[in-house]
Amino acid sequence: MISKDEILEIFDKYNKDEITIATLGSHTSLHILKGAKLEGFSTVCITMKGRDVPYKRFKVADKFIYVDNFSDIKNEEIQEKLRELNAIVVPHGSFIAYCGLDNVENNFLVPMFGNRRILRWESERSLEGKLLREAGIRVPKKYESPEDIDGTVIVKFPGARGGRGYFVASSTEEFYKKAEDLKKRGILTDEDIVNAHIEEYVVGTNFCIHYFYSPLKDEVELLGMDKRYESNIDGLVRIPAKDQLEMDINPSYVITGNIPVVIRESLLPQVFEMGDKLVAKAKELVPPGMIGPFCLQSLCNENLELVVFEMSARVDGGTNSFMNGSPYSFLYNGEPLSMGQRIAREIKMALQLDMIDKIIS
């Protein structure tokens, strides 16, 4: 694992008056880059030719670093360019997927916003479950084997695949039938099936809750919420049940969009309690814990209990739903505030207070 001292040594060589905010051109990069510009930073977008269109059209990037493939971001040549630009990289789901978690932990020698150690805890289901359970957060029941299925379950697979390959099953036989069908279609591998994460299917309404923990203020902020728009399940539910049966289509849960939502106000104490508990436990298990944005993906059941089924330990894709601010981010200072701008504001404050060691790794 790259040490904090190694990163601080690199940062010490930077021109502190010319800090650049950098990220990969994907996922949540539009508001990360726009937010950085609003806070007075220069920005750089790592992208491929043809994929640079949004960043040019919206004018959020001051500079571009072009790669042949997104996976090239781990190359030393790209890292050197970033260091020459005095860059602090803001990681997101696509960045981690393309760079590779092992490379992020051991080889990517560029200062990153946040705690790079905690990224594995969102990637590995066993660690994610440990953190959530030990924080005292209600999570769905986990099944150790397909043979243990005794009710309706949702089956998930490793990695940040945006719901691709997920399916619902109600018996051991249905699990293997659907898994085999997805394998034939090239969506799953034998390894995926062996490593399947099987959990209780919680019936409820979806709230993906976006928090920001500021180490500088020691405060958990609620910045926004969204729900997910998924294909093809959201198209299927518009079809009458008898026609669904005749069509014989396997539902898919690939995320295609995000819809901003607000939760009933009486549930906000529960929302803040979950965020506070997770931050406290993360400090203990993965010091220094959460830094900056994180997300709890939850379902609210008929008893008005929030059940958390997934965690992101960095900026989550749903933050795209409030690029111009959310009802919650507005409440803090009476201004539109995206997650990207909130990140840039924390970096700016850390530079001013000479506390950059609190927010980078």
Side-chain angles (χ1 to χ4, degrees):
M1 174 70 71
I2 295 168
S3 71
K4 173 69 77 71
D5 287 342
E6 287 178 276
I7 294 301
L8 290 177
E9 187 177 335
I10 291 168
F11 188 80
D12 283 343
K13 297 174 183 175
Y14 277 12
N15 181 339
K16 310 305 186 294
D17 295 324
E18 296 183 4
I19 296 298
T20 300
I21 304 301
T23 197
L24 184 73
S26 183
H27 196 264
T28 46
S29 54
L30 281 171
H31 68 82
I32 289 172
L33 297 171
K34 178 64 175 179
K37 287 179 71 67
L38 288 171
E39 291 299 316
F41 289 103
S42 177
T43 58
V44 62
C45 178
I46 309 159
T47 188
M48 297 188 294
K49 283 194 165 45
R51 292 288 294 270
D52 55 359
V53 174
Y55 316 106
K56 287 183 173 179
R57 293 287 182 92
F58 290 118
K59 299 179 173 62
V60 295
D62 296 312
K63 297 183 179 71
F64 290 90
I65 294 176
Y66 287 97
V67 291
D68 293 329
N69 298 289
F70 277 156
S71 57
D72 293 341
I73 55 176
K74 64 180 180 291
N75 295 350
E76 175 55 35
E77 178 189 355
I78 304 302
Q79 294 183 46
E80 182 58 35
K81 286 181 180 180
L82 289 167
R83 290 191 292 265
E84 288 172 358
L85 289 167
N86 307 298
I88 295 175
V89 170
V90 178
H92 50 56
S94 294
F95 175 88
I96 296 160
Y98 286 109
C99 188
L101 195 50
D102 288 341
N103 286 311
V104 170
E105 291 178 333
N106 303 305
N107 302 316
F108 193 74
L109 285 165
V110 181
M112 288 174 53
F113 179 75
N115 176 9
R116 68 176 77 200
R117 289 187 62 216
I118 206 166
L119 298 173
R120 187 166 293 278
W121 287 67
E122 68 161 27
S123 176
E124 296 185 9
R125 298 280 181 190
S126 59
L127 292 174
E128 178 189 47
K130 174 182 172 69
L131 179 54
L132 291 171
R133 284 190 297 271
E134 292 197 16
I137 293 171
R138 163 83 155 91
V139 295
K141 173 185 173 183
K142 183 178 182 298
Y143 292 82
E144 297 300 327
S145 163
E147 280 66 35
D148 297 332
I149 295 173
D150 60 1
T152 305
V153 300
I154 185 163
V155 183
K156 303 177 179 180
F157 300 93
R161 56 174 72 202
R164 183 170 171 77
Y166 292 10
F167 63 86
V168 173
S170 297
S171 67
T172 302
E173 294 72 26
E174 187 177 7
F175 170 92
Y176 284 115
K177 181 177 183 299
K178 289 186 173 180
E180 190 61 31
D181 179 62
L182 290 167
K183 179 184 165 185
K184 287 178 182 175
R185 290 160 56 192
I187 295 172
L188 297 181
T189 65
D190 286 328
E191 185 179 2
D192 286 331
I193 296 169
V194 169
N195 294 318
H197 176 86
I198 308 168
E199 67 183 29
E200 161 198 8
Y201 187 91
V202 177
V203 178
T205 48
N206 182 214
F207 293 94
C208 297
I209 307 165
H210 304 285
Y211 302 90
F212 187 96
Y213 174 66
S214 169
L216 306 182
K217 299 193 295 181
D218 189 23
E219 185 174 85
V220 177
E221 301 168 8
L222 171 63
L223 286 198
M225 295 186 202
D226 78 288
K227 65 177 182 176
R228 303 296 151 96
Y229 207 42
E230 297 166 330
S231 182
N232 57 13
I233 188 65
D234 281 312
L236 282 173
V237 296
R238 296 169 62 88
I239 300 170
K242 65 180 182 64
D243 296 322
Q244 290 182 35
L245 292 170
E246 290 174 5
M247 293 170 71
D248 191 29
I249 295 176
N250 286 325
S252 167
Y253 296 83
V254 178
I255 297 168
T256 58
N258 305 82
I259 305 165
V261 295
V262 292
I263 203 166
R264 62 186 288 175
E265 199 161 311
S266 60
L267 288 172
L268 285 175
Q270 193 179 159
V271 168
F272 278 108
E273 181 184 21
M274 292 192 312
D276 291 345
K277 283 182 172 180
L278 187 65
V279 165
K281 184 53 66 172
K283 285 181 181 179
E284 179 186 325
L285 294 180
V286 208
M290 294 291 179
I291 297 175
F294 64 98
C295 174
L296 291 177
Q297 298 183 37
S298 70
L299 292 161
C300 187
N301 64 24
E302 61 182 353
N303 299 318
L304 298 183
E305 176 188 29
L306 289 167
V307 183
V308 174
F309 61 89
E310 211 152 293
M311 171 193 82
S312 296
R314 36 74 195 169
V315 61
D316 182 90
T319 54
N320 287 331
S321 64
F322 57 98
M323 290 192 202
N324 62 337
S326 81
Y328 299 110
S329 67
F330 177 81
L331 287 170
Y332 287 102
N333 295 305
E335 62 174 334
L337 185 68
S338 70
M339 185 64 82
Q341 189 173 0
R342 182 63 189 88
I343 291 168
R345 192 165 290 181
E346 190 81 356
I347 295 171
K348 187 177 181 179
M349 191 188 315
L351 290 167
Q352 291 170 344
L353 298 173
D354 195 22
M355 296 176 67
I356 200 72
D357 60 303
K358 300 291 185 185
I359 66 163
I360 64 170
S361 64

